[in-house]
CSV table of all heavy atoms in Angstrom, one decimal:
chain,number,residue,atom,x,y,z
A,1087,ALA,N,-87.7,-117.2,134.2
A,1087,ALA,CA,-87.2,-116.0,133.5
A,1087,ALA,C,-86.0,-116.4,132.7
A,1087,ALA,O,-85.8,-115.9,131.5
A,1087,ALA,CB,-86.9,-114.9,134.5
A,1088,PHE,N,-85.1,-117.2,133.2
A,1088,PHE,CA,-83.9,-117.6,132.5
A,1088,PHE,C,-84.3,-118.4,131.2
A,1088,PHE,O,-83.8,-118.2,130.2
A,1088,PHE,CB,-83.0,-118.5,133.4
A,1088,PHE,CG,-81.8,-119.0,132.7
A,1088,PHE,CD1,-80.7,-118.2,132.4
A,1088,PHE,CD2,-81.8,-120.4,132.2
A,1088,PHE,CE1,-79.6,-118.8,131.7
A,1088,PHE,CE2,-80.7,-120.9,131.6
A,1088,PHE,CZ,-79.6,-120.1,131.3
A,1089,GLU,N,-85.3,-119.3,131.4
A,1089,GLU,CA,-85.7,-120.2,130.3
A,1089,GLU,C,-86.4,-119.3,129.2
A,1089,GLU,O,-86.1,-119.5,128.0
A,1089,GLU,CB,-86.7,-121.2,130.8
A,1089,GLU,CG,-87.2,-122.2,129.7
A,1089,GLU,CD,-86.1,-123.0,129.1
A,1089,GLU,OE1,-85.1,-123.3,129.8
A,1089,GLU,OE2,-86.2,-123.3,127.9
A,1090,LYS,N,-87.2,-118.3,129.6
A,1090,LYS,CA,-87.8,-117.4,128.6
A,1090,LYS,C,-86.7,-116.6,127.9
A,1090,LYS,O,-86.8,-116.5,126.6
A,1090,LYS,CB,-88.7,-116.4,129.4
A,1090,LYS,CG,-89.5,-115.5,128.4
A,1090,LYS,CD,-90.5,-114.7,129.2
A,1090,LYS,CE,-91.3,-113.8,128.3
A,1090,LYS,NZ,-92.2,-112.9,129.1
A,1091,LYS,N,-85.7,-116.1,128.6
A,1091,LYS,CA,-84.6,-115.4,127.9
A,1091,LYS,C,-83.8,-116.3,127.0
A,1091,LYS,O,-83.5,-115.9,125.9
A,1091,LYS,CB,-83.7,-114.8,129.0
A,1091,LYS,CG,-82.6,-113.9,128.4
A,1091,LYS,CD,-81.8,-113.3,129.5
A,1091,LYS,CE,-80.7,-112.4,128.9
A,1091,LYS,NZ,-79.9,-111.7,129.9
A,1092,ARG,N,-83.6,-117.5,127.4
A,1092,ARG,CA,-82.8,-118.5,126.6
A,1092,ARG,C,-83.6,-118.8,125.3
A,1092,ARG,O,-83.1,-118.9,124.2
A,1092,ARG,CB,-82.5,-119.8,127.4
A,1092,ARG,CG,-81.6,-120.7,126.6
A,1092,ARG,CD,-81.2,-121.9,127.4
A,1092,ARG,NE,-82.3,-122.8,127.6
A,1092,ARG,CZ,-82.8,-123.7,126.7
A,1092,ARG,NH1,-82.3,-123.7,125.5
A,1092,ARG,NH2,-83.8,-124.5,127.0
A,1093,ALA,N,-84.9,-119.0,125.4
A,1093,ALA,CA,-85.7,-119.3,124.3
A,1093,ALA,C,-85.7,-118.1,123.3
A,1093,ALA,O,-85.7,-118.3,122.1
A,1093,ALA,CB,-87.2,-119.6,124.7
A,1094,LYS,N,-85.8,-116.9,123.8
A,1094,LYS,CA,-85.7,-115.7,123.0
A,1094,LYS,C,-84.4,-115.7,122.2
A,1094,LYS,O,-84.3,-115.4,121.0
A,1094,LYS,CB,-86.0,-114.5,123.8
A,1094,LYS,CG,-86.0,-113.2,123.0
A,1094,LYS,CD,-86.3,-112.0,123.8
A,1094,LYS,CE,-86.4,-110.8,122.9
A,1094,LYS,NZ,-86.6,-109.6,123.7
A,1095,ASN,N,-83.3,-115.9,122.9
A,1095,ASN,CA,-82.0,-115.9,122.3
A,1095,ASN,C,-81.8,-117.0,121.3
A,1095,ASN,O,-81.3,-116.8,120.2
A,1095,ASN,CB,-80.8,-116.1,123.4
A,1095,ASN,CG,-80.6,-114.8,124.2
A,1095,ASN,OD1,-81.1,-113.7,123.8
A,1095,ASN,ND2,-80.0,-115.0,125.3
A,1096,ASP,N,-82.4,-118.2,121.5
A,1096,ASP,CA,-82.3,-119.3,120.6
A,1096,ASP,C,-83.1,-118.9,119.3
A,1096,ASP,O,-82.7,-119.1,118.2
A,1096,ASP,CB,-82.9,-120.5,121.1
A,1096,ASP,CG,-82.0,-121.2,122.1
A,1096,ASP,OD1,-80.9,-120.8,122.2
A,1096,ASP,OD2,-82.5,-122.2,122.8
A,1097,GLN,N,-84.3,-118.2,119.5
A,1097,GLN,CA,-85.1,-117.8,118.4
A,1097,GLN,C,-84.3,-116.7,117.6
A,1097,GLN,O,-84.3,-116.7,116.3
A,1097,GLN,CB,-86.4,-117.2,118.9
A,1097,GLN,CG,-87.4,-116.9,117.8
A,1097,GLN,CD,-88.7,-116.4,118.4
A,1097,GLN,OE1,-88.8,-115.9,119.5
A,1097,GLN,NE2,-89.8,-116.7,117.6
A,1098,THR,N,-83.6,-115.8,118.3
A,1098,THR,CA,-82.9,-114.7,117.6
A,1098,THR,C,-81.7,-115.3,116.8
A,1098,THR,O,-81.5,-115.0,115.6
A,1098,THR,CB,-82.3,-113.7,118.6
A,1098,THR,OG1,-83.4,-113.1,119.3
A,1098,THR,CG2,-81.5,-112.6,117.9
A,1099,GLU,N,-81.0,-116.3,117.4
A,1099,GLU,CA,-79.9,-116.9,116.7
A,1099,GLU,C,-80.4,-117.7,115.5
A,1099,GLU,O,-79.8,-117.6,114.4
A,1099,GLU,CB,-79.1,-117.9,117.7
A,1099,GLU,CG,-78.3,-117.2,118.7
A,1099,GLU,CD,-77.7,-118.1,119.7
A,1099,GLU,OE1,-77.7,-119.3,119.4
A,1099,GLU,OE2,-77.3,-117.6,120.8
A,1100,SER,N,-81.5,-118.4,115.6
A,1100,SER,CA,-82.1,-119.1,114.5
A,1100,SER,C,-82.5,-118.1,113.4
A,1100,SER,O,-82.3,-118.4,112.3
A,1100,SER,CB,-83.3,-119.9,115.0
A,1100,SER,OG,-83.9,-120.5,114.0
A,1101,SER,N,-83.1,-117.0,113.8
A,1101,SER,CA,-83.5,-116.0,112.8
A,1101,SER,C,-82.3,-115.5,112.1
A,1101,SER,O,-82.4,-115.3,110.9
A,1101,SER,CB,-84.3,-114.9,113.5
A,1101,SER,OG,-84.6,-113.9,112.6
A,1102,ASP,N,-81.2,-115.2,112.8
A,1102,ASP,CA,-80.0,-114.6,112.2
A,1102,ASP,C,-79.5,-115.7,111.2
A,1102,ASP,O,-79.0,-115.3,110.1
A,1102,ASP,CB,-79.0,-114.3,113.2
A,1102,ASP,CG,-79.3,-113.0,114.0
A,1102,ASP,OD1,-80.2,-112.3,113.6
A,1102,ASP,OD2,-78.7,-112.8,115.1
A,1103,LEU,N,-79.5,-116.9,111.6
A,1103,LEU,CA,-79.0,-118.0,110.7
A,1103,LEU,C,-79.8,-118.1,109.4
A,1103,LEU,O,-79.3,-118.2,108.3
A,1103,LEU,CB,-79.0,-119.3,111.5
A,1103,LEU,CG,-78.4,-120.5,110.7
A,1103,LEU,CD1,-77.0,-120.3,110.3
A,1103,LEU,CD2,-78.5,-121.8,111.5
A,1104,VAL,N,-81.1,-118.0,109.6
A,1104,VAL,CA,-82.0,-118.1,108.4
A,1104,VAL,C,-81.7,-116.9,107.5
A,1104,VAL,O,-81.6,-117.0,106.3
A,1104,VAL,CB,-83.5,-118.1,108.9
A,1104,VAL,CG1,-84.4,-117.8,107.7
A,1104,VAL,CG2,-83.8,-119.4,109.5
A,1105,LYS,N,-81.6,-115.7,108.1
A,1105,LYS,CA,-81.3,-114.5,107.3
A,1105,LYS,C,-80.0,-114.7,106.5
A,1105,LYS,O,-79.9,-114.4,105.3
A,1105,LYS,CB,-81.2,-113.2,108.1
A,1105,LYS,CG,-82.5,-112.7,108.6
A,1105,LYS,CD,-82.3,-111.5,109.5
A,1105,LYS,CE,-83.6,-111.1,110.2
A,1105,LYS,NZ,-83.4,-110.1,111.1
A,1106,ARG,N,-78.9,-115.2,107.2
A,1106,ARG,CA,-77.7,-115.4,106.5
A,1106,ARG,C,-77.8,-116.4,105.4
A,1106,ARG,O,-77.2,-116.3,104.3
A,1106,ARG,CB,-76.6,-115.8,107.5
A,1106,ARG,CG,-76.0,-114.6,108.2
A,1106,ARG,CD,-74.8,-115.1,109.1
A,1106,ARG,NE,-75.4,-115.2,110.5
A,1106,ARG,CZ,-75.2,-116.2,111.3
A,1106,ARG,NH1,-74.4,-117.1,111.0
A,1106,ARG,NH2,-75.8,-116.2,112.5
A,1107,TYR,N,-78.6,-117.5,105.7
A,1107,TYR,CA,-78.8,-118.5,104.7
A,1107,TYR,C,-79.5,-118.0,103.4
A,1107,TYR,O,-79.2,-118.2,102.3
A,1107,TYR,CB,-79.5,-119.7,105.2
A,1107,TYR,CG,-79.8,-120.8,104.2
A,1107,TYR,CD1,-78.8,-121.6,103.8
A,1107,TYR,CD2,-81.1,-120.9,103.7
A,1107,TYR,CE1,-79.1,-122.6,102.8
A,1107,TYR,CE2,-81.3,-121.8,102.7
A,1107,TYR,CZ,-80.3,-122.7,102.3
A,1107,TYR,OH,-80.6,-123.6,101.3
A,1108,LEU,N,-80.6,-117.2,103.7
A,1108,LEU,CA,-81.3,-116.6,102.6
A,1108,LEU,C,-80.5,-115.6,101.8
A,1108,LEU,O,-80.7,-115.5,100.6
A,1108,LEU,CB,-82.6,-115.9,103.1
A,1108,LEU,CG,-83.7,-116.9,103.7
A,1108,LEU,CD1,-84.8,-116.1,104.3
A,1108,LEU,CD2,-84.2,-117.8,102.6
A,1109,HIS,N,-79.6,-114.9,102.5
A,1109,HIS,CA,-78.8,-113.9,101.7
A,1109,HIS,C,-77.7,-114.6,100.9
A,1109,HIS,O,-77.5,-114.2,99.8
A,1109,HIS,CB,-78.1,-113.0,102.7
A,1109,HIS,CG,-79.0,-111.9,103.2
A,1109,HIS,ND1,-79.2,-111.6,104.5
A,1109,HIS,CD2,-79.9,-111.1,102.6
A,1109,HIS,CE1,-80.1,-110.6,104.7
A,1109,HIS,NE2,-80.5,-110.3,103.5
A,1110,CYS,N,-77.0,-115.5,101.5
A,1110,CYS,CA,-75.8,-116.1,100.8
A,1110,CYS,C,-75.8,-117.6,100.9
A,1110,CYS,O,-76.2,-118.1,102.0
A,1110,CYS,CB,-74.5,-115.5,101.3
A,1110,CYS,SG,-74.4,-113.7,101.2
A,1111,SER,N,-75.2,-118.3,99.9
A,1111,SER,CA,-75.0,-119.7,100.0
A,1111,SER,C,-73.8,-120.0,101.0
A,1111,SER,O,-73.1,-119.1,101.3
A,1111,SER,CB,-74.6,-120.2,98.6
A,1111,SER,OG,-75.6,-120.0,97.7
A,1112,TRP,N,-73.7,-121.2,101.4
A,1112,TRP,CA,-72.7,-121.6,102.3
A,1112,TRP,C,-71.3,-121.3,101.6
A,1112,TRP,O,-71.1,-121.5,100.5
A,1112,TRP,CB,-72.7,-123.1,102.6
A,1112,TRP,CG,-71.7,-123.5,103.6
A,1112,TRP,CD1,-71.9,-123.5,104.9
A,1112,TRP,CD2,-70.4,-124.0,103.3
A,1112,TRP,NE1,-70.7,-124.0,105.5
A,1112,TRP,CE2,-69.8,-124.3,104.6
A,1112,TRP,CE3,-69.7,-124.2,102.2
A,1112,TRP,CZ2,-68.5,-124.7,104.7
A,1112,TRP,CZ3,-68.4,-124.7,102.3
A,1112,TRP,CH2,-67.8,-125.0,103.6
A,1113,GLY,N,-70.4,-120.7,102.4
A,1113,GLY,CA,-69.1,-120.3,102.0
A,1113,GLY,C,-69.0,-118.9,101.5
A,1113,GLY,O,-67.9,-118.5,101.1
A,1114,TRP,N,-70.1,-118.2,101.4
A,1114,TRP,CA,-70.2,-116.8,100.9
A,1114,TRP,C,-70.5,-116.0,102.1
A,1114,TRP,O,-71.1,-116.4,103.0
A,1114,TRP,CB,-71.2,-116.6,99.8
A,1114,TRP,CG,-70.9,-117.4,98.6
A,1114,TRP,CD1,-71.0,-118.7,98.3
A,1114,TRP,CD2,-70.4,-116.8,97.3
A,1114,TRP,NE1,-70.7,-119.0,97.0
A,1114,TRP,CE2,-70.3,-117.9,96.4
A,1114,TRP,CE3,-70.1,-115.5,96.9
A,1114,TRP,CZ2,-69.9,-117.7,95.1
A,1114,TRP,CZ3,-69.7,-115.3,95.6
A,1114,TRP,CH2,-69.6,-116.4,94.7
Side-chain angles (χ1 to χ4, degrees):
F1088 176 78
E1089 184 61 31
K1090 185 177 180 181
K1091 185 176 181 179
R1092 188 177 67 77
K1094 184 178 179 181
N1095 286 344
D1096 286 350
Q1097 188 176 27
T1098 300
E1099 288 175 16
S1100 175
S1101 175
D1102 288 345
L1103 182 61
V1104 167
K1105 285 178 189 173
R1106 278 184 263 136
Y1107 176 76
L1108 291 175
H1109 282 132
C1110 300
S1111 301
W1112 185 86
W1114 294 75

